[in-house]
Every structure is written in structure tokens, then in C-alpha cells.
Amino acid sequence: MERQLFIIGKVYKRSHIHDEYGGNRQGGISGSAKFPYIFIFSGKAGHQHGYKDQWENPNIFSYTGEGQIDDMRFIKGNLALRDHIANGKRVFLFIEDIRSFVKFQGELILDSVDYFKGPDREGKERVAIKFFFKRVGVLVDYPIEKFPSLVEESFIQLNTPNITERQGLVTSRVGQGAYRKSILYRWEFKCAVTNYSKNEILIASHILPWKDSTNEERLDVDNGILLSPTYDALFDQHLISFENNGKIILSDSFLKTNYEDLGVSGKEKIKKLTDENHYYLDKHRKIIL
């Protein structure tokens, strides 16, 4: 039986963790040279760059890779996290509490990884890495086999891309990668309205349209909703929206028989809306046709 190193919810002084187990005392990813452990520390530093680490659902935590300038690459801490399973390393998550203290969140295991676009420390747009971890010991039925293999995908292209490869990567992978996965995890791979779960056709929709969103809002998982194609098309055209309690709103500009032909009854309701979703839905409702 593996030793329990930390207690979930307990606050530790970060320096004491390093005194006992080693690892870099600065930065977010800290690998121990003495033990097969990797400590990841999450705080508010990334918010100023328009992204944040967060629990996508009770069992999945998304974590942004390290690297403040230019494209993130799979070197050092990012490489250690990507390969931690193959290398037999355990990953422990801490979230900043007050000053030099951190609160233990649990032991994690990598579930998936992908890219997104965001500004670096100097405000220049770059390719960034997003890791998706699940809690150790928790069984989930997400269709992870549909995700690209960490080995088969040419993630290492980021290390030495030429201009053509770089543009192709940004266009084909980054635009739909990490954000879509965040939405899939947030809604646990089910349509928010119908619970339909064939993820190949589910659409990660922005509540507030991309063109009307700030850079931060475009990356905000709370500005996203997972919908099956019919509901996505109606939502995108502002022919339906949702109350804060989740109840569907039908536009008067669309005939009732048209909704019925599409299988929309008007009795649909979303059950998992957050206060943050309400902020974006309020904006969406204001332009329903």
C-alpha cells in the first residue's frame, strides 16, 4: 500500500515540503530528485495572462504548463509531467493559500494534454500547453481513447517548428484543442440539454460569441456549453437561450411547428449551470431573436 504523504484539505508551508522532499522552491512544477514525486503548485499568476488552472469537474483538474516567454515546449517540468506515468512519478497538487502556504488538493494522474493560444508574459501570442489530470483512485467513463496519443501525436514539433509547420499547428490543433477538452470535461462528455454522449459530434459552443468576446472570455470554460448539433445550431442563431435556472427559452421568430420538427419541445432544462455561466447567458439572452 502506497504511503499517504499529505492530507487533502490540509494547509502546508511550502518550504517545509521542499525541506523534506526536495524540489525547486520556485515555480509551479517541482520535481523531487530524492523521491519519485512531482509537486505542482497552482495560484493566480496565470490569470494576468488570460488563463487559469481549475477543476473542470469534481475529478478533473486542468493545469497550464510552465514557460513565461514564447511557445511552451515539452522540456523540463512540462516533459516531466507529460511522461510521469511512464517514468513512475507521482503527481501531487497544491493550491496557493496565504503567502508561503499551500493547500493540498490530492494526488493526480495525467488523463490528456493539448494546446491553446494565449499571451506570454510580454503580451505576445504564443502556443501554450494544457494538462488535464484526474484524481487518483477515481473511476471515470470518459472516452479518453478518442484523444490523441501522447506518444503518437507529434507534440515535440513545438520544439523546432519551421514557419509552415508553426502556422499549420496553430490553425489545425490549437484553435480547437484544449478549450474543447475543457468543455468536454466540464460537461462530462454529455450534451448539456439532452445528456447525449457521442462526443464525436458534440459541439463546444461559446455562449458569448467568439467575435464578441475578449481574449480572456474566449478561453473561459464558463463561457462554453456542450451541445448536440440541433441545439447548438439554434443556440448559435439565438433562436433558443436558457434562463439562469436552466429552462429553455424559445424565440418567437421561429414557428412552434419548426421546433417540434427538430425535436425541441420547449420543456428542456439544463441542470449544471454555474453562477459564472449566468453572467454569459445574461448577455446571450439579450440578443435572442
Side-chain angles (χ1 to χ4, degrees), residues 7 11 21 32 38 52 129 131 139 143 172 196 216 222 263 272:
I7 299 173
V11 175
Y21 300 106
S32 170
I38 301 173
K52 59 184 177 181
I129 297 169
F131 296 95
L139 296 177
S172 65
Y196 183 78
E216 184 173 359
D222 291 309
K272 297 181 180 180

Side-chain angles (χ1 to χ4, degrees), residues 150-166:
L150 299 183
V151 176
E152 294 174 355
E153 276 288 308
S154 300
F155 288 117
I156 205 66
Q157 284 182 12
L158 278 178
N159 286 340
T160 55
N162 59 41
I163 293 176
T164 302
E165 290 172 339
R166 173 80 161 77

Side-chain angles (χ1 to χ4, degrees), residues 38-54:
I38 301 173
F39 305 110
I40 55 177
F41 299 92
S42 177
K44 298 180 179 179
H47 292 200
Q48 61 185 310
H49 301 310
Y51 58 81
K52 59 184 177 181
D53 307 328
Q54 62 190 1

Side-chain angles (χ1 to χ4, degrees), residues 43 50 113 168:
V113 64

Side-chain angles (χ1 to χ4, degrees), residues 214-275:
T214 65
N215 288 334
E216 184 173 359
E217 290 170 338
R218 290 170 178 172
L219 294 175
D220 188 354
V221 69
D222 291 309
N223 187 24
I225 188 169
L226 191 64
L227 296 171
S228 51
T230 295
Y231 289 92
D232 172 74
L234 294 171
F235 189 77
D236 183 62
Q237 294 299 315
H238 294 90
L239 292 170
I240 63 171
S241 192
F242 298 92
E243 300 284 4
N244 285 350
N245 64 8
K247 187 179 184 301
I248 196 169
I249 302 171
L250 305 182
S251 170
D252 292 334
S253 68
F254 206 51
L255 294 177
K256 182 178 179 182
T257 53
N258 289 337
Y259 287 114
E260 292 173 348
D261 289 342
L262 292 171
V264 178
S265 69
K267 298 179 180 180
E268 293 85 350
K269 188 174 184 178
I270 297 176
K271 298 179 179 179
K272 297 181 180 180
L273 293 174
T274 65
D275 290 342

